[in-house]
Amino acid sequence: MSQQAHTAQTATAPSADMTATDRPLATGAEILIRSLEAEGVEYVFGHPGGAVIAIYDEMHRLQPSFEHILVRHEQGGTHAAEGYAKATGKVGTVLVTSGPGATNCVTGIADAYMDSIPLVVFTGQVPTHLIGNDAFQECDTIGVTRSITKHSFLVRDVTELAATVKKAYHLARTGRPGPVVVDLPKDVIAARAPFHYPENVQIRGYSVIGRGNVDQVRKAADMIAASKKPLFYVGGGTIISGGAEKLTALAHKTSIPVTTTLHGLGSFPETDPLSVGMLGMHGTWYANMAVQNTDLLIAVGARFDDRVTGKIEAWAPHARIIHIDIDPACISKNIPVDCPILGDVSMVLDQLEELVQPADRSDWLGQIAAWREECPLIFERDGALRPQQVVQALRGKTNGEAVVVTDVGQNQMWGAQFFSYVHPRSHITSGGLGTMGFSLPAAMGAAFGMRTIGRDVISINGDGGVLMNIQELGVAAAHKLPLKVVILNNNFLGMVRQWQELFHEERYSHTNLEPTNPDFVKLAEAFGCVGLQCTDPADVDSTLDAAWEITDRPVVMDFRVITEEKVFPMVPAGAATDNMITAQFSPEDCA
Amino acid sequence: MTTDTAQQESIELTPQQLFRKQAAGEAILPNEEDSVHRHVITVLIDDTIGALNRVTNLFSQRGFNLESVTVGESKDPTQRRLTLVTTGNDRIIAQVLRQLNSLVDTTEVEDLTREDHVERELCLVKVRSSATERTALLSVVEVFRANVVNITPDSLTFEVTGPTAKINAFIGVMKDYDVREVARSGRVAMRRRLAFEH
C-alpha cells in the first residue's frame, strides 16, 4: 500500500482500521452489551442485583438489539436459556448478579454440563480489590462452578472483556457444547476501554474436531459389512451436530435398525419401521433385547450412561462396538470400544455413507419385529385416567409437530415413550442431572426461541416438579407465550413412589404430595394464565381442544391421573438390561 | 460366592466381554486383582489464574489417584509445566490422559511411563546431631552424594537429588538417626531424547 493510500484510508475509514487507542472509550457494561449484540444474541435471561446494576443501567440507556427477559429466579433463567438453546441450536445467555445470583444458577449450569447444552452465564462479582475479603454478596463463583463448566473466566481487566466474551461463546458452541461462566467484577464493568469485538478466536490448548480418521472410518465400514445383526445406538450428539437426517439416510441405506437414548429422541423418526424406540432403564423391551443380541453396536453421539447400560458387565455381551463421538474423554470411558472414531458426528456419517453398502437384514429385523409383538409398549385402558393416554392425546393433537419439554420422573418417561418423536429438537428434557423443576422454565425458553416460527411448545410436568420453578409462569404470561403446561397430577412423587412400591415394600415415605399441593387451576389464574382441569379420560381431547383455542397466554392443564400407574418396562437399577420388569410380566416372572 | 461358581462365571464371559476386560486392564477371574500401574504424566498448562486448580480439581472430581504433583516454570514463560504421578488400571489411565487433554488450559499432555525418560526428585532432610556425631553422619551421606546445606550446633540439613528409589533409600538410612523433618519435592520427569530422535 502506498503512503498516500494509507493516509487516505486512516482519514476516512472509521472503526475498522482504527488502532485501539483511536476508538472512543466505553464502559465495561457497554462493551459487554455491544459484544452480545455482535455475537447475535437474541435473548438474555437475567435478574439484576447490586454487582450488575451498571450493566442493567447501560441496557436501559442503549436499548440493545437483544431482548432481556426478567426471570423471577436465577435457576429458572438458566433453565430457560437451556430450553432456548436446545430448541434452536443457538447459545443460551444468562446474566445474574454476584453471590446468591450466581449460586442460584449452579443447578442450571450443572444441568447444562451434563446434557452438553451451550450456555454462557455472566455473573456479577464484587470489585477486584474486595475479592477474597468475604464482601457483601461475594461468592467464589469460579471455584463453585469449576467442576460443572466446560470452562470459566474471571475478567480482571476491561481491555480483555470483549475477547473473553468471544472466547466464551466459541467454547460454549463448538466441540462438545457446554456451559461457560464469565465472572465480571464490578470495577471491571465500570472501567473504560475502547470497544473492539474480535472476528477470530484463538485458544491455545483448544481445537475443534472435524472429520474422522479415514482408517478408522474404513474399519467401521468393514465391521458394518461383516455384521449380521447390527444396531445403531443414537444419542443427543447426533442432533447437536446436525446429523439426524444423515443418520436416517444411512440407516435406510444399510437397513440397520435404530434405537435412541432419551436425548437421541427425534434424531430418527420413531414412526419409521427401522425404529426400535428408546433403550435403557425405561426403554422398550425390544430395544433392550436388540442390544443384548446385536453383534455390532454403532454408538453415534452417545455416552454409555448408566441409565442406558444398567449393569455394564452384562450389557451388549456379544457386540463389537463402533463409537462415533466428538469428545475424546467419552471414548472408552464406561466401556472399552473396538473402533472409536473421534469426530463431528455429522461429518463422520458423511464419510461412512460413502463406504457402506446396502445389505439384506430381514432375519435380524424379523427377530426384532417378533420381540416387538411379544412385548409391545402398551398401557391398560380400563376407564381410569392414565398419564400415557394424555401423552398420546398430545401427540394426536399436534401430529408430532411440537416441541415437548418434559420434567423429571414418571412424566419424563411417559413423555419419552408415548409421543413418538419424528423431528430433531422436538424433545427436550433434563437427562443427565435429572433436575426437577426443569420443564416449565425450559419450555418458556424454548417458546421464546419458537416465537417467530410459531411452533407449539408443550411442557409436561408432574405435580412435584412443576412447583419447583412455578414462578416463571408469571414471566410466560407477561410475554403472552402460548405455552401448554400439562400437569400429570397423581398427587405423589410418582417415580420415587414407584421404587417404594417395587423395591421398598410399599413404604411410601414422604412421597404423598396431596397435603401440600395447591389448586393448580387457581394457581394458573393467579399468574394470569388459563387453568383447566380434567378428571375423566373421556374429557382429555376436549380439554386439549380448549387449551389450543387460547393463543395469547399460557394454559395450565391439571390432569388428575391415577396414583398407582407405573412406568414399564423397567430395568431395576444395577440389573442386567435383559432382566426387565414389563407391564406384561409380573416382577416375579422376570427376576 | 464360592470359588467354583466364580470360576464358572468367568468361563461364561463372551469373547467381547473378555476383550473389554483386557482392554480396561480389569481382572478376568473374580479372585484376581486389576492390573494397576503407576504412571508419570507431564502436562503443560497456561500460566493463568485457576489453571493449576482445574488440573488438581479434575483428579478429585473424577475420583482419580494423585500421588504427587510438581509445578514450575517451563521453557515458555506463558506456560507452566506439571509432573503428575498417578495410579490406575489401563482404562483409568486412558481416562486421566483424555480428561487432562480436554481441559482448555492444557496444551500438552504426555504419559512418559513407557517412554525412555529421566526422573528426579529433590529431598531435604534435617537430622538432629551434636558436633561429636557429625563426622560419622557425614561419611554415611557421602555414599548418596548428599550435600550439607545447613549446619547448626544441634542439627544438619542434607539435600539429596535422584530417582525416587534413591531418595527412599536415603531416607531409610537416615531413620537410624534422629530425623526431625523431611521435605520432598515430588517427581519431575522428561524424555531422554528429542521428539524426532528415534
Side-chain angles (χ1 to χ4, degrees), chain B residues 133-143 146 148 151 156 158:
Chain B
E133 296 161 325
R134 209 175 276 159
T135 326
L137 195 51
L138 284 173
S139 65
V140 173
V141 302
E142 174 65 18
V143 178
V148 180
I151 300 181
L156 279 169
F158 302 111

Side-chain angles (χ1 to χ4, degrees), chain B residues 16 50 57 67 85 90 94 98 144 148 150 175 178 187-188:
Chain B
Q16 272 309 305
N57 184 67
E67 281 195 359
V85 181
D90 292 353
R98 291 195 182 107
F144 290 91
V148 180
N150 196 44
K175 283 196 176 137
D178 190 359
R187 286 186 241 195
V188 291

Side-chain angles (χ1 to χ4, degrees), chain A residues 52 94-98 102 105 121-125 141 181-185:
Chain A
V52 290
V94 179
L95 171 61
V96 296
T97 192
S98 65
C105 286
V121 180
F122 295 97
T123 55
Q125 184 54 276
T141 306
V181 166
V182 182
D183 206 18
L184 303 165

Side-chain angles (χ1 to χ4, degrees), chain A residues 446-591:
Chain A
F448 278 114
M450 294 293 109
R451 199 146 63 163
T452 47
I453 303 168
R455 190 167 236 217
D456 287 336
V457 179
I458 304 168
S459 165
I460 297 181
N461 300 270
D463 49 307
V466 73
L467 276 188
M468 288 191 176
N469 273 311
I470 195 73
Q471 74 285 346
E472 305 308 334
L473 209 46
V475 182
H479 290 274
K480 303 190 188 314
L481 297 176
L483 203 57
K484 310 294 183 234
V485 182
V486 173
I487 304 174
L488 303 175
N489 183 357
N490 62 3
N491 275 318
F492 254 91
L493 290 169
M495 189 57 95
V496 185
R497 188 199 170 281
Q498 172 167 345
W499 285 49
Q500 288 172 333
E501 182 183 329
L502 294 174
F503 311 119
H504 297 274
E505 291 161 344
E506 304 185 22
R507 290 186 296 276
Y508 300 120
S509 179
H510 295 274
T511 42
N512 183 3
L513 298 180
E514 194 160 22
T516 51
N517 265 349
D519 178 332
F520 284 107
V521 173
K522 281 188 188 160
L523 184 72
E525 285 163 359
F527 275 114
C529 307
V530 174
L532 302 171
Q533 195 185 63
C534 174
T535 53
D536 188 333
D539 297 338
V540 170
D541 288 327
S542 58
T543 306
L544 296 186
D545 290 342
W548 257 260
E549 287 297 309
I550 293 146
T551 54
D552 62 344
R553 71 193 105 157
V555 185
V556 176
M557 289 159 269
D558 180 18
F559 288 97
R560 310 302 292 263
V561 299
I562 59 167
T563 302
E564 297 76 23
E565 192 62 15
K566 288 179 283 295
V567 181
F568 288 127
M570 177 177 195
V571 181
T577 295
D578 43 5
N579 192 6
M580 296 188 87
I581 308 173
T582 66
Q584 288 82 353
F585 307 116
S586 68
E588 291 75 31
D589 294 339
C590 286

Side-chain angles (χ1 to χ4, degrees), chain A residues 26 43 98 122 177 199 228 244 277 280 286 301 322 363 417 425 464 492 531 546 572 575 581 588:
Chain A
Y43 293 102
S98 65
F122 295 97
E199 275 182 21
K228 295 270 177 287
Y286 39 97
I322 298 167
D363 287 355
Q417 290 175 335
R425 302 197 180 279
F492 254 91
I581 308 173
E588 291 75 31

Side-chain angles (χ1 to χ4, degrees), chain B residues 97-120:
Chain B
L97 295 171
R98 291 195 182 107
Q99 295 283 0
L100 282 171
N101 253 318
S102 63
L103 289 176
V104 173
D105 293 316
T106 57
T107 50
E108 199 182 297
V109 178
E110 204 175 10
D111 184 0
L112 296 183
T113 315
R114 288 181 186 136
E115 303 289 334
D116 194 8
H117 69 279
V118 283
E119 279 177 35
R120 286 293 178 271

